[in-house]
Amino acid sequence: EETLDSVMKSLKELLSYHDGRRSTMTKTLSCTSVKAMGTLSSCPSGMTVTGCSCGFACGSWNVQNENVCHCLCPVIDWTVARCCKLA
Amino acid sequence: EETLDSVMKSLKELLSYHDGRRSTMTKTLSCTSVKAMGTLSSCPSGMTVTGCSCGFACGSWNVQNENVCHCLCPVIDWTVARCCKLA
Amino acid sequence: EETLDSVMKSLKELLSYHDGRRSTMTKTLSCTSVKAMGTLSSCPSGMTVTGCSCGFACGSWNVQNENVCHCLCPVIDWTVARCCKLA
């Protein structure tokens, strides 16, 4: 039942997938920093927190919902979220 | 020597690879936090440390074996490892 | 106009692409730490900062040019950059 036409159809489908994959082949790790006043700083949509930096020398923080840095010291003036994604 | 049969064989092999690749196409950066009491906190198998958070405001840490956070201040009550992988 | 020859040509092109993609399929997140004296520490070429650690318990830092950790406290003896890439 397989004809040259059906083969070509599958082949074209594969080639169209391939174009989508080409972007995958060149994916790299892309990161940025987001600074905010106060104890919370959020990553842009689609990015996840890999680390946080806090004002007043504070090194205690946690991550909320995988995309928000929360600095935990009693006095904090600013919070930086380090945010990464594949791009 | 190439027949429609041999073409179809190659094509089917490609399609089966393609199914494997589909998961690659949708890979994203996936991160989680692991908190432990004391000065050490370990990432789950297959994940690597991207940053660490320490109790008592401490911002001094190193990474052991790429998957363990080690907080370096004299007094530490808890350690958080920020752990990531492709998934 | 499509012949078995033209189909095979496309198929071979696809297979050669596929070999390139195979490396993509096995990509993982690869990280390392770079320690330097002073307030700055740089990632190797091709890697990006995901977090920083600073001497003297300091948890305040920023990232310059996506690949340099800069510790911000007045007195800093060492800086560690946590650096990652896809590999």
Side-chain angles (χ1 to χ4, degrees):
Chain A
E1 291 117 323
E2 281 157 354
T3 64
L4 200 48
D5 271 3
S6 73
V7 171
M8 283 311 294
K9 188 158 171 281
S10 295
L11 198 50
K12 280 171 183 167
E13 191 186 18
L14 256 184
L15 282 165
S16 71
Y17 278 130
H18 179 261
D19 285 342
R21 279 194 304 268
R22 192 169 304 177
S23 63
T24 308
M25 294 175 65
T26 57
K27 268 194 176 174
T28 58
L29 185 65
S30 173
C31 303
T32 191
S33 297
V34 176
K35 185 176 186 173
M37 297 301 100
T39 63
L40 297 171
S41 183
S42 299
C43 290
S45 173
M47 303 190 87
T48 188
V49 170
T50 58
C52 308
S53 170
C54 308
F56 282 99
C58 172
S60 297
W61 46 264
N62 62 23
V63 177
Q64 300 178 343
N65 201 28
E66 309 308 342
N67 65 347
V68 179
C69 278
H70 178 207
C71 290
L72 298 173
C73 300
V75 180
I76 292 293
D77 47 355
W78 53 262
T79 297
V80 166
R82 188 69 183 156
C83 308
C84 298
K85 66 175 176 181
L86 301 191
Chain B
E1 289 118 324
E2 281 157 357
T3 64
L4 200 49
D5 271 2
S6 72
V7 171
M8 282 312 293
K9 187 157 172 282
S10 295
L11 198 49
K12 279 170 184 166
E13 189 185 18
L14 256 183
L15 281 165
S16 72
Y17 279 130
H18 178 259
D19 284 343
R21 278 195 304 269
R22 191 169 306 177
S23 63
T24 308
M25 292 175 66
T26 57
K27 268 194 178 173
T28 57
L29 184 66
S30 173
C31 303
T32 191
S33 297
V34 177
K35 185 176 185 173
M37 296 301 102
T39 62
L40 297 171
S41 183
S42 298
C43 290
S45 172
M47 303 190 86
T48 188
V49 169
T50 59
C52 308
S53 170
C54 309
F56 282 98
C58 172
S60 297
W61 46 265
N62 63 23
V63 177
Q64 299 177 343
N65 201 30
E66 309 307 343
N67 65 347
V68 178
C69 278
H70 178 207
C71 289
L72 298 173
C73 299
V75 180
I76 292 292
D77 48 355
W78 53 262
T79 298
V80 167
R82 188 69 183 155
C83 308
C84 299
K85 66 175 176 181
L86 300 193
Chain C
E1 285 121 324
E2 281 157 354
T3 65
L4 200 48
D5 272 2
S6 72
V7 171
M8 283 311 295
K9 188 159 171 280
S10 295
L11 198 49
K12 281 171 183 165
E13 191 186 17
L14 257 183
L15 282 164
S16 72
Y17 279 129
H18 178 260
D19 285 343
R21 279 194 304 265
R22 192 169 306 178
S23 64
T24 307
M25 292 175 66
T26 57
K27 268 194 177 173
T28 57
L29 184 66
S30 173
C31 303
T32 191
S33 297
V34 176
K35 185 176 186 174
M37 297 300 101
T39 63
L40 297 171
S41 183
S42 298
C43 290
S45 173
M47 303 191 87
T48 188
V49 170
T50 58
C52 309
S53 170
C54 309
F56 283 98
C58 172
S60 297
W61 46 265
N62 62 23
V63 177
Q64 299 177 343
N65 202 28
E66 308 308 343
N67 66 349
V68 179
C69 278
H70 178 207
C71 289
L72 298 173
C73 299
V75 181
I76 292 294
D77 48 355
W78 53 262
T79 297
V80 166
R82 188 71 183 154
C83 308
C84 299
K85 65 174 177 182
L86 300 193

